[in-house]
């Protein structure tokens, strides 16, 4: 079963100089980078935990009351949903705008409200934890100065780009290319 949220737009890897945005359908929401190893590894650990919980639910169903097994199985379903949501988090783009998918909240900003997207040096959160380190961040500047997206779009110390500075640069360039093409309209 293909999982489209795990794959980035493969055209960005094979981009040529004459094609700024190699995409087939700009109406389709896509993440212009691949999920990082920290994000995928965390989701894999959660899915492994869910499989053990489901095995325990099966053992409970065979030995005791089925109502207890249903409760444990519901816990496994919650862990699976959390793992899938972790994989879906990130910055997504389409012809309609820019979307930042968080764990609990998704915010979409239409390109008409985007004034600029730029990379800046600033303190960033390390793997989303409260600890901050000096790093690079891709920030969104909206028209009228309204802060619709709290925090940066991407950082070089989040779960997708920790210890992958070249991948961060490619992803930032891709998002900036989308903004250059669609924000000026």
């Amino acid at each position: 079963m293909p999982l489209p949220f795990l794959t980035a737009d493969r055209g960005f890897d094979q981009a040529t100089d004459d094609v700024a945005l190699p995409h087939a359908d700009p109406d389709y929401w896509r993440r212009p980078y691949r999920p990082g190893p920290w994000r995928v590894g965390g989701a894999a650990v959660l899915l492994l935990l869910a499989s053990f919980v489901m095995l325990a639910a099966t053992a409970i169903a065979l030995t005791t009351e089925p109502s207890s097994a249903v409760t444990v199985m519901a816990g496994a379903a919650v862990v699976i949903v959390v793992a899938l949501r972790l994989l879906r988090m990130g910055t997504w783009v389409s012809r309609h705008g820019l979307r930042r998918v968080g764990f609990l909240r998704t915010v979409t900003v239409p390109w008409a409200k985007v004034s600029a997207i730029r990379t800046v040096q600033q303190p960033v959160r390390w793997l989303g934890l409260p600890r901050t380190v000096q790093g690079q961040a891709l920030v969104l500047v909206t028209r009228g100065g309204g802060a619709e997206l709290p925090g940066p779009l991407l950082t070089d110390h989040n779960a997708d780009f920790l210890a992958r500075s070249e991948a961060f640069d490619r992803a930032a360039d891709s998002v900036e290319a989308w903004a250059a093409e669609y924000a000026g309209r």
Side-chain angles (χ1 to χ4, degrees):
M1 177 174 99
L3 301 175
F5 52 84
L6 284 179
T7 60
D9 188 8
R10 300 229 185 261
F12 285 102
D13 292 340
Q14 298 128 1
T16 59
D17 293 334
D18 60 336
V19 180
L21 298 174
H23 50 80
D25 185 10
D27 290 328
Y28 179 71
W29 286 98
R30 65 181 38 102
R31 181 177 17 207
Y33 57 91
R34 291 190 178 115
W38 288 92
R39 185 173 310 283
V40 173
V45 168
L46 286 175
L47 290 173
L48 183 65
L49 174 68
S51 69
F52 285 125
V53 172
M54 290 170 69
L55 183 65
T58 304
I60 290 170
L62 294 175
T63 59
T64 61
E65 296 180 19
S67 62
S68 301
V70 169
T71 304
V72 174
M73 191 64 79
V78 168
V79 172
I80 291 170
V81 168
V82 166
L84 293 176
R85 190 64 183 177
L86 280 176
L87 287 173
R88 187 135 174 87
M89 289 173 56
T91 300
W92 296 70
V93 291
S94 82
R95 179 188 324 208
H96 305 291
L98 182 92
R99 180 176 286 173
R100 191 171 86 189
V101 178
F103 186 70
L104 296 175
R105 182 176 165 209
T106 298
V107 179
T108 302
V109 178
W111 289 120
K113 291 187 178 182
V114 174
S115 174
I117 294 180
R118 60 177 172 249
T119 304
V120 296
Q121 289 282 333
Q122 69 179 33
V124 296
R125 297 174 81 177
W126 184 77
L127 288 177
L129 298 172
R131 177 180 175 217
T132 60
V133 296
Q134 190 65 25
Q136 292 184 6
L138 185 69
V139 295
L140 170 72
V141 179
T142 58
R143 298 186 200 282
E148 296 181 27
L149 290 175
L153 297 172
L154 305 171
T155 68
D156 62 345
H157 285 80
N158 69 4
D160 291 320
F161 302 111
L162 187 63
R164 298 174 58 219
S165 61
E166 292 174 3
F168 173 78
D169 293 337
R170 280 193 313 268
D173 290 343
S174 296
V175 174
E176 289 170 356
W178 277 85
E181 175 142 340
Y182 292 110
R185 292 183 179 185

